[in-house]
Amino acid sequence: MNAPLHIVLSWNDWLQLFGQYLLLSCMSVGGAISTTAEMHRFLVEQHGWLTQTQFNDSIAIAQAAPGPNVLFVALMGWNVGLNAGSYAAAVLGVLVTMVGIMLPSSVLALLAASWGHRNRELRAVRAFKQGMAPVVIAMLVSTGLILGGADQDAATHWPLWLLSLVAGLIVWRTRIHLLWLLAAGALLGALGLV
């Protein structure tokens, strides 16, 4: 178990956190989860505002809970605020991160979707959609690599990597609902196999 983290955040730090999430929002092609690698670099590696365990738990809890998966961002903000020492700071963390991640992408998505729908038959629009697919896939793979390598000892966790590979192949080649794969992963985790 990791020791609790105690940090001190100035108003400049909160503003920097807000600005970082504004930028990430503009990069979140494929959803906020695709920017997890950059969130990790900023929150865990660069500033030390979250522990690796808090980072992973924020994503795992939000992904397991019903509702939009962007809630992991709120949990990260909550944990940053708790590390700063109070529930008021935790609420501020939720507001800063959620407004930051939602505002630009929501406005851009609304404008781009309206324009794209009006011009859906243009060759450039179709080419852009097809060209973005590999970018989104690469960002999601990088997220998986960061989460899977959390304890820096990937060689001993080969069952986790094998499970990830098999789950990826099943998603790609079948129509099995993702909830079944999540349930299977949870069961294997509960049995201590991954």
Side-chain angles (χ1 to χ4, degrees):
M1 181 162 184
N2 291 342
L5 190 60
H6 300 288
I7 60 176
V8 177
L9 296 179
S10 66
W11 286 111
N12 189 41
D13 293 328
W14 286 111
L15 191 60
Q16 189 178 4
L17 180 64
F18 181 64
Q20 180 71 11
Y21 274 87
L22 286 175
L23 292 174
L24 290 175
S25 179
C26 295
M27 294 174 36
S28 60
V29 178
I33 194 76
S34 65
T35 61
T36 306
E38 179 58 19
M39 289 181 199
H40 181 269
R41 186 198 63 78
F42 183 80
L43 294 172
V44 177
E45 295 174 6
Q46 183 177 348
H47 291 286
W49 291 342
L50 285 182
T51 65
Q52 182 68 50
T53 301
Q54 287 175 319
F55 186 86
N56 284 359
D57 288 350
S58 297
I59 294 174
I61 291 169
Q63 296 302 307
N69 68 2
V70 74
L71 292 179
F72 77 92
V73 173
L75 285 174
M76 287 180 186
W78 177 265
N79 284 324
V80 168
L82 282 182
N83 290 340
S86 71
Y87 287 112
V91 171
L92 178 61
V94 170
L95 290 174
V96 164
T97 55
M98 286 303 288
V99 171
I101 201 73
M102 295 299 294
L103 186 63
S105 60
S106 298
V107 171
L108 285 173
L110 180 64
L111 296 175
S114 298
W115 185 87
H117 185 70
R118 284 193 309 271
N119 299 289
R120 62 186 173 274
E121 298 304 324
L122 291 177
R123 184 178 185 152
V125 171
R126 289 182 291 154
F128 177 78
K129 288 181 178 177
Q130 290 178 353
M132 288 307 292
V135 173
V136 171
I137 291 170
M139 293 174 107
L140 291 174
V141 168
S142 71
T143 299
L145 291 173
I146 286 174
L147 293 176
D151 63 358
Q152 308 295 321
D153 192 14
T156 60
H157 295 291
W158 63 266
L160 174 65
W161 294 108
L162 180 61
L163 175 65
S164 300
L165 179 64
V166 170
L169 290 173
I170 290 172
V171 168
W172 179 36
R173 303 301 292 177
T174 71
R175 294 183 165 262
I176 292 177
H177 199 281
L178 288 177
L179 289 178
W180 288 111
L181 297 175
L182 285 172
L187 179 63
L188 292 172
L191 295 174
L193 298 174
V194 290

PDB file of all heavy atoms in Angstrom, residues 20-21 23-25 27 32-47 55 76 139 142-143 146:
ATOM      1  N   GLN A  20      -3.987  22.653 -18.612  1.00  0.00           N
ATOM      2  CA  GLN A  20      -3.573  21.348 -19.140  1.00  0.00           C
ATOM      3  C   GLN A  20      -4.780  20.561 -19.635  1.00  0.00           C
ATOM      4  O   GLN A  20      -4.748  19.953 -20.703  1.00  0.00           O
ATOM      5  CB  GLN A  20      -2.827  20.558 -18.054  1.00  0.00           C
ATOM      6  CG  GLN A  20      -2.355  19.197 -18.493  1.00  0.00           C
ATOM      7  CD  GLN A  20      -1.197  19.254 -19.472  1.00  0.00           C
ATOM      8  OE1 GLN A  20      -0.597  20.295 -19.687  1.00  0.00           O
ATOM      9  NE2 GLN A  20      -0.898  18.131 -20.089  1.00  0.00           N
ATOM     10  N   TYR A  21      -5.868  20.596 -18.872  1.00  0.00           N
ATOM     11  CA  TYR A  21      -7.054  19.850 -19.292  1.00  0.00           C
ATOM     12  C   TYR A  21      -7.756  20.524 -20.462  1.00  0.00           C
ATOM     13  O   TYR A  21      -8.390  19.849 -21.275  1.00  0.00           O
ATOM     14  CB  TYR A  21      -7.981  19.603 -18.099  1.00  0.00           C
ATOM     15  CG  TYR A  21      -7.564  18.360 -17.357  1.00  0.00           C
ATOM     16  CD1 TYR A  21      -6.599  18.409 -16.361  1.00  0.00           C
ATOM     17  CD2 TYR A  21      -8.092  17.124 -17.687  1.00  0.00           C
ATOM     18  CE1 TYR A  21      -6.175  17.282 -15.715  1.00  0.00           C
ATOM     19  CE2 TYR A  21      -7.677  15.969 -17.044  1.00  0.00           C
ATOM     20  CZ  TYR A  21      -6.716  16.058 -16.055  1.00  0.00           C
ATOM     21  OH  TYR A  21      -6.299  14.908 -15.436  1.00  0.00           O
ATOM     22  N   LEU A  23      -6.083  21.923 -22.920  1.00  0.00           N
ATOM     23  CA  LEU A  23      -5.290  21.424 -24.049  1.00  0.00           C
ATOM     24  C   LEU A  23      -5.601  19.964 -24.345  1.00  0.00           C
ATOM     25  O   LEU A  23      -5.742  19.567 -25.497  1.00  0.00           O
ATOM     26  CB  LEU A  23      -3.800  21.594 -23.761  1.00  0.00           C
ATOM     27  CG  LEU A  23      -3.282  23.030 -23.711  1.00  0.00           C
ATOM     28  CD1 LEU A  23      -1.827  23.050 -23.262  1.00  0.00           C
ATOM     29  CD2 LEU A  23      -3.430  23.685 -25.077  1.00  0.00           C
ATOM     30  N   LEU A  24      -5.708  19.153 -23.297  1.00  0.00           N
ATOM     31  CA  LEU A  24      -6.007  17.735 -23.501  1.00  0.00           C
ATOM     32  C   LEU A  24      -7.366  17.551 -24.161  1.00  0.00           C
ATOM     33  O   LEU A  24      -7.556  16.640 -24.961  1.00  0.00           O
ATOM     34  CB  LEU A  24      -5.966  16.992 -22.167  1.00  0.00           C
ATOM     35  CG  LEU A  24      -4.580  16.833 -21.541  1.00  0.00           C
ATOM     36  CD1 LEU A  24      -4.697  16.192 -20.166  1.00  0.00           C
ATOM     37  CD2 LEU A  24      -3.684  16.016 -22.450  1.00  0.00           C
ATOM     38  N   SER A  25      -8.288  18.426 -23.825  1.00  0.00           N
ATOM     39  CA  SER A  25      -9.613  18.345 -24.427  1.00  0.00           C
ATOM     40  C   SER A  25      -9.537  18.509 -25.939  1.00  0.00           C
ATOM     41  O   SER A  25     -10.237  17.817 -26.682  1.00  0.00           O
ATOM     42  CB  SER A  25     -10.523  19.420 -23.821  1.00  0.00           C
ATOM     43  OG  SER A  25     -11.793  19.368 -24.410  1.00  0.00           O
ATOM     44  N   MET A  27      -7.107  17.614 -27.754  1.00  0.00           N
ATOM     45  CA  MET A  27      -6.419  16.443 -28.317  1.00  0.00           C
ATOM     46  C   MET A  27      -7.214  15.158 -28.146  1.00  0.00           C
ATOM     47  O   MET A  27      -6.775  14.100 -28.576  1.00  0.00           O
ATOM     48  CB  MET A  27      -5.067  16.248 -27.615  1.00  0.00           C
ATOM     49  CG  MET A  27      -4.083  17.335 -27.857  1.00  0.00           C
ATOM     50  SD  MET A  27      -2.579  17.151 -26.866  1.00  0.00           S
ATOM     51  CE  MET A  27      -2.320  15.400 -26.802  1.00  0.00           C
ATOM     52  N   ALA A  32     -11.775  11.190 -23.984  1.00  0.00           N
ATOM     53  CA  ALA A  32     -10.769  11.634 -23.020  1.00  0.00           C
ATOM     54  C   ALA A  32      -9.797  10.521 -22.656  1.00  0.00           C
ATOM     55  O   ALA A  32      -8.635  10.785 -22.333  1.00  0.00           O
ATOM     56  CB  ALA A  32     -11.462  12.175 -21.772  1.00  0.00           C
ATOM     57  N   ILE A  33     -10.248   9.281 -22.732  1.00  0.00           N
ATOM     58  CA  ILE A  33      -9.386   8.157 -22.358  1.00  0.00           C
ATOM     59  C   ILE A  33      -8.161   8.084 -23.280  1.00  0.00           C
ATOM     60  O   ILE A  33      -7.117   7.590 -22.874  1.00  0.00           O
ATOM     61  CB  ILE A  33     -10.179   6.829 -22.374  1.00  0.00           C
ATOM     62  CG1 ILE A  33      -9.417   5.718 -21.663  1.00  0.00           C
ATOM     63  CG2 ILE A  33     -10.529   6.420 -23.790  1.00  0.00           C
ATOM     64  CD1 ILE A  33      -9.446   5.828 -20.180  1.00  0.00           C
ATOM     65  N   SER A  34      -8.280   8.605 -24.492  1.00  0.00           N
ATOM     66  CA  SER A  34      -7.147   8.543 -25.421  1.00  0.00           C
ATOM     67  C   SER A  34      -6.017   9.490 -25.012  1.00  0.00           C
ATOM     68  O   SER A  34      -4.914   9.385 -25.530  1.00  0.00           O
ATOM     69  CB  SER A  34      -7.613   8.869 -26.844  1.00  0.00           C
ATOM     70  OG  SER A  34      -8.067  10.206 -26.910  1.00  0.00           O
ATOM     71  N   THR A  35      -6.257  10.399 -24.078  1.00  0.00           N
ATOM     72  CA  THR A  35      -5.207  11.320 -23.619  1.00  0.00           C
ATOM     73  C   THR A  35      -4.635  10.911 -22.262  1.00  0.00           C
ATOM     74  O   THR A  35      -3.947  11.692 -21.613  1.00  0.00           O
ATOM     75  CB  THR A  35      -5.751  12.758 -23.529  1.00  0.00           C
ATOM     76  OG1 THR A  35      -6.826  12.791 -22.592  1.00  0.00           O
ATOM     77  CG2 THR A  35      -6.225  13.259 -24.878  1.00  0.00           C
ATOM     78  N   THR A  36      -4.927   9.705 -21.854  1.00  0.00           N
ATOM     79  CA  THR A  36      -4.483   9.230 -20.544  1.00  0.00           C
ATOM     80  C   THR A  36      -2.965   9.257 -20.398  1.00  0.00           C
ATOM     81  O   THR A  36      -2.461   9.558 -19.316  1.00  0.00           O
ATOM     82  CB  THR A  36      -5.019   7.814 -20.296  1.00  0.00           C
ATOM     83  OG1 THR A  36      -6.417   7.831 -20.486  1.00  0.00           O
ATOM     84  CG2 THR A  36      -4.710   7.358 -18.898  1.00  0.00           C
ATOM     85  N   ALA A  37      -2.254   8.965 -21.464  1.00  0.00           N
ATOM     86  CA  ALA A  37      -0.790   8.962 -21.375  1.00  0.00           C
ATOM     87  C   ALA A  37      -0.269  10.347 -20.988  1.00  0.00           C
ATOM     88  O   ALA A  37       0.625  10.471 -20.149  1.00  0.00           O
ATOM     89  CB  ALA A  37      -0.202   8.518 -22.710  1.00  0.00           C
ATOM     90  N   GLU A  38      -0.835  11.378 -21.587  1.00  0.00           N
ATOM     91  CA  GLU A  38      -0.401  12.741 -21.264  1.00  0.00           C
ATOM     92  C   GLU A  38      -0.845  13.133 -19.856  1.00  0.00           C
ATOM     93  O   GLU A  38      -0.124  13.827 -19.139  1.00  0.00           O
ATOM     94  CB  GLU A  38      -0.939  13.723 -22.307  1.00  0.00           C
ATOM     95  CG  GLU A  38      -0.570  15.156 -22.057  1.00  0.00           C
ATOM     96  CD  GLU A  38       0.928  15.437 -21.976  1.00  0.00           C
ATOM     97  OE1 GLU A  38       1.743  14.635 -22.448  1.00  0.00           O
ATOM     98  OE2 GLU A  38       1.288  16.486 -21.389  1.00  0.00           O
ATOM     99  N   MET A  39      -2.040  12.701 -19.444  1.00  0.00           N
ATOM    100  CA  MET A  39      -2.484  12.968 -18.073  1.00  0.00           C
ATOM    101  C   MET A  39      -1.507  12.342 -17.081  1.00  0.00           C
ATOM    102  O   MET A  39      -1.156  12.943 -16.069  1.00  0.00           O
ATOM    103  CB  MET A  39      -3.889  12.399 -17.839  1.00  0.00           C
ATOM    104  CG  MET A  39      -4.976  13.132 -18.542  1.00  0.00           C
ATOM    105  SD  MET A  39      -6.566  12.387 -18.171  1.00  0.00           S
ATOM    106  CE  MET A  39      -7.558  13.032 -19.506  1.00  0.00           C
ATOM    107  N   HIS A  40      -1.084  11.131 -17.370  1.00  0.00           N
ATOM    108  CA  HIS A  40      -0.144  10.427 -16.500  1.00  0.00           C
ATOM    109  C   HIS A  40       1.173  11.188 -16.411  1.00  0.00           C
ATOM    110  O   HIS A  40       1.716  11.403 -15.326  1.00  0.00           O
ATOM    111  CB  HIS A  40       0.088   9.017 -17.031  1.00  0.00           C
ATOM    112  CG  HIS A  40       1.020   8.218 -16.192  1.00  0.00           C
ATOM    113  ND1 HIS A  40       2.384   8.196 -16.422  1.00  0.00           N
ATOM    114  CD2 HIS A  40       0.791   7.430 -15.119  1.00  0.00           C
ATOM    115  CE1 HIS A  40       2.947   7.415 -15.524  1.00  0.00           C
ATOM    116  NE2 HIS A  40       2.016   6.937 -14.719  1.00  0.00           N
ATOM    117  N   ARG A  41       1.667  11.618 -17.570  1.00  0.00           N
ATOM    118  CA  ARG A  41       2.928  12.362 -17.572  1.00  0.00           C
ATOM    119  C   ARG A  41       2.798  13.633 -16.724  1.00  0.00           C
ATOM    120  O   ARG A  41       3.669  13.931 -15.914  1.00  0.00           O
ATOM    121  CB  ARG A  41       3.324  12.738 -19.009  1.00  0.00           C
ATOM    122  CG  ARG A  41       4.695  13.386 -19.115  1.00  0.00           C
ATOM    123  CD  ARG A  41       4.861  14.132 -20.426  1.00  0.00           C
ATOM    124  NE  ARG A  41       3.930  15.226 -20.572  1.00  0.00           N
ATOM    125  CZ  ARG A  41       4.057  16.418 -19.967  1.00  0.00           C
ATOM    126  NH1 ARG A  41       5.073  16.646 -19.170  1.00  0.00           N
ATOM    127  NH2 ARG A  41       3.154  17.370 -20.153  1.00  0.00           N
ATOM    128  N   PHE A  42       1.701  14.343 -16.884  1.00  0.00           N
ATOM    129  CA  PHE A  42       1.516  15.615 -16.188  1.00  0.00           C
ATOM    130  C   PHE A  42       1.282  15.422 -14.688  1.00  0.00           C
ATOM    131  O   PHE A  42       1.934  16.052 -13.859  1.00  0.00           O
ATOM    132  CB  PHE A  42       0.340  16.371 -16.819  1.00  0.00           C
ATOM    133  CG  PHE A  42       0.101  17.726 -16.243  1.00  0.00           C
ATOM    134  CD1 PHE A  42       0.876  18.813 -16.624  1.00  0.00           C
ATOM    135  CD2 PHE A  42      -0.892  17.930 -15.304  1.00  0.00           C
ATOM    136  CE1 PHE A  42       0.659  20.071 -16.094  1.00  0.00           C
ATOM    137  CE2 PHE A  42      -1.122  19.189 -14.760  1.00  0.00           C
ATOM    138  CZ  PHE A  42      -0.336  20.258 -15.159  1.00  0.00           C
ATOM    139  N   LEU A  43       0.347  14.550 -14.334  1.00  0.00           N
ATOM    140  CA  LEU A  43      -0.074  14.424 -12.931  1.00  0.00           C
ATOM    141  C   LEU A  43       0.875  13.587 -12.084  1.00  0.00           C
ATOM    142  O   LEU A  43       1.131  13.921 -10.924  1.00  0.00           O
ATOM    143  CB  LEU A  43      -1.481  13.813 -12.860  1.00  0.00           C
ATOM    144  CG  LEU A  43      -2.612  14.653 -13.439  1.00  0.00           C
ATOM    145  CD1 LEU A  43      -3.896  13.853 -13.477  1.00  0.00           C
ATOM    146  CD2 LEU A  43      -2.792  15.934 -12.631  1.00  0.00           C
ATOM    147  N   VAL A  44       1.373  12.490 -12.644  1.00  0.00           N
ATOM    148  CA  VAL A  44       2.178  11.547 -11.857  1.00  0.00           C
ATOM    149  C   VAL A  44       3.671  11.835 -12.012  1.00  0.00           C
ATOM    150  O   VAL A  44       4.380  11.985 -11.016  1.00  0.00           O
ATOM    151  CB  VAL A  44       1.851  10.094 -12.271  1.00  0.00           C
ATOM    152  CG1 VAL A  44       2.730   9.105 -11.507  1.00  0.00           C
ATOM    153  CG2 VAL A  44       0.374   9.800 -12.044  1.00  0.00           C
ATOM    154  N   GLU A  45       4.123  11.924 -13.266  1.00  0.00           N
ATOM    155  CA  GLU A  45       5.566  12.022 -13.487  1.00  0.00           C
ATOM    156  C   GLU A  45       6.101  13.444 -13.300  1.00  0.00           C
ATOM    157  O   GLU A  45       7.115  13.640 -12.643  1.00  0.00           O
ATOM    158  CB  GLU A  45       5.903  11.529 -14.904  1.00  0.00           C
ATOM    159  CG  GLU A  45       5.609  10.059 -15.100  1.00  0.00           C
ATOM    160  CD  GLU A  45       5.819   9.620 -16.533  1.00  0.00           C
ATOM    161  OE1 GLU A  45       6.301  10.411 -17.365  1.00  0.00           O
ATOM    162  OE2 GLU A  45       5.462   8.465 -16.837  1.00  0.00           O
ATOM    163  N   GLN A  46       5.435  14.419 -13.896  1.00  0.00           N
ATOM    164  CA  GLN A  46       5.977  15.782 -13.872  1.00  0.00           C
ATOM    165  C   GLN A  46       5.742  16.487 -12.540  1.00  0.00           C
ATOM    166  O   GLN A  46       6.656  17.060 -11.966  1.00  0.00           O
ATOM    167  CB  GLN A  46       5.376  16.605 -15.008  1.00  0.00           C
ATOM    168  CG  GLN A  46       5.931  18.020 -15.093  1.00  0.00           C
ATOM    169  CD  GLN A  46       5.353  18.779 -16.282  1.00  0.00           C
ATOM    170  OE1 GLN A  46       4.720  18.211 -17.150  1.00  0.00           O
ATOM    171  NE2 GLN A  46       5.575  20.080 -16.294  1.00  0.00           N
ATOM    172  N   HIS A  47       4.498  16.444 -12.033  1.00  0.00           N
ATOM    173  CA  HIS A  47       4.174  17.215 -10.830  1.00  0.00           C
ATOM    174  C   HIS A  47       4.061  16.376  -9.557  1.00  0.00           C
ATOM    175  O   HIS A  47       4.145  16.923  -8.465  1.00  0.00           O
ATOM    176  CB  HIS A  47       2.863  17.985 -11.042  1.00  0.00           C
ATOM    177  CG  HIS A  47       2.990  19.085 -12.052  1.00  0.00           C
ATOM    178  ND1 HIS A  47       3.649  20.261 -11.790  1.00  0.00           N
ATOM    179  CD2 HIS A  47       2.570  19.177 -13.330  1.00  0.00           C
ATOM    180  CE1 HIS A  47       3.632  21.037 -12.864  1.00  0.00           C
ATOM    181  NE2 HIS A  47       2.974  20.397 -13.820  1.00  0.00           N
ATOM    182  N   PHE A  55      -3.815   7.102  -9.784  1.00  0.00           N
ATOM    183  CA  PHE A  55      -4.067   7.275 -11.211  1.00  0.00           C
ATOM    184  C   PHE A  55      -4.787   6.048 -11.769  1.00  0.00           C
ATOM    185  O   PHE A  55      -5.822   6.167 -12.428  1.00  0.00           O
ATOM    186  CB  PHE A  55      -2.742   7.509 -11.938  1.00  0.00           C
ATOM    187  CG  PHE A  55      -2.892   7.844 -13.385  1.00  0.00           C
ATOM    188  CD1 PHE A  55      -3.100   9.150 -13.774  1.00  0.00           C
ATOM    189  CD2 PHE A  55      -2.825   6.859 -14.343  1.00  0.00           C
ATOM    190  CE1 PHE A  55      -3.240   9.471 -15.114  1.00  0.00           C
ATOM    191  CE2 PHE A  55      -2.966   7.163 -15.686  1.00  0.00           C
ATOM    192  CZ  PHE A  55      -3.175   8.465 -16.058  1.00  0.00           C
ATOM    193  N   MET A  76      -9.734  11.867 -10.956  1.00  0.00           N
ATOM    194  CA  MET A  76      -8.364  12.376 -10.861  1.00  0.00           C
ATOM    195  C   MET A  76      -8.356  13.743 -10.191  1.00  0.00           C
ATOM    196  O   MET A  76      -7.524  14.012  -9.321  1.00  0.00           O
ATOM    197  CB  MET A  76      -7.741  12.464 -12.256  1.00  0.00           C
ATOM    198  CG  MET A  76      -7.397  11.139 -12.854  1.00  0.00           C
ATOM    199  SD  MET A  76      -6.668  11.344 -14.478  1.00  0.00           S
ATOM    200  CE  MET A  76      -6.550   9.624 -14.962  1.00  0.00           C
ATOM    201  N   MET A 139      -3.437   5.912 -29.764  1.00  0.00           N
ATOM    202  CA  MET A 139      -3.580   6.561 -28.450  1.00  0.00           C
ATOM    203  C   MET A 139      -4.174   5.598 -27.428  1.00  0.00           C
ATOM    204  O   MET A 139      -3.773   5.590 -26.260  1.00  0.00           O
ATOM    205  CB  MET A 139      -4.440   7.817 -28.583  1.00  0.00           C
ATOM    206  CG  MET A 139      -3.760   8.907 -29.403  1.00  0.00           C
ATOM    207  SD  MET A 139      -4.835  10.292 -29.708  1.00  0.00           S
ATOM    208  CE  MET A 139      -4.100  11.485 -28.610  1.00  0.00           C
ATOM    209  N   SER A 142      -1.447   3.149 -26.359  1.00  0.00           N
ATOM    210  CA  SER A 142      -0.504   3.754 -25.406  1.00  0.00           C
ATOM    211  C   SER A 142      -1.107   3.832 -24.010  1.00  0.00           C
ATOM    212  O   SER A 142      -0.404   3.645 -23.010  1.00  0.00           O
ATOM    213  CB  SER A 142      -0.069   5.145 -25.878  1.00  0.00           C
ATOM    214  OG  SER A 142      -1.122   6.076 -25.758  1.00  0.00           O
ATOM    215  N   THR A 143      -2.414   4.072 -23.931  1.00  0.00           N
ATOM    216  CA  THR A 143      -3.088   4.067 -22.630  1.00  0.00           C
ATOM    217  C   THR A 143      -2.991   2.693 -21.984  1.00  0.00           C
ATOM    218  O   THR A 143      -2.682   2.568 -20.794  1.00  0.00           O
ATOM    219  CB  THR A 143      -4.561   4.467 -22.800  1.00  0.00           C
ATOM    220  OG1 THR A 143      -4.617   5.780 -23.344  1.00  0.00           O
ATOM    221  CG2 THR A 143      -5.297   4.417 -21.480  1.00  0.00           C
ATOM    222  N   ILE A 146       0.520   2.034 -20.590  1.00  0.00           N
ATOM    223  CA  ILE A 146       0.798   2.746 -19.335  1.00  0.00           C
ATOM    224  C   ILE A 146       0.104   2.075 -18.164  1.00  0.00           C
ATOM    225  O   ILE A 146       0.694   1.852 -17.108  1.00  0.00           O
ATOM    226  CB  ILE A 146       0.384   4.220 -19.457  1.00  0.00           C
ATOM    227  CG1 ILE A 146       1.393   4.958 -20.329  1.00  0.00           C
ATOM    228  CG2 ILE A 146       0.274   4.880 -18.083  1.00  0.00           C
ATOM    229  CD1 ILE A 146       1.019   6.365 -20.644  1.00  0.00           C
TER     230      ILE A 146
END
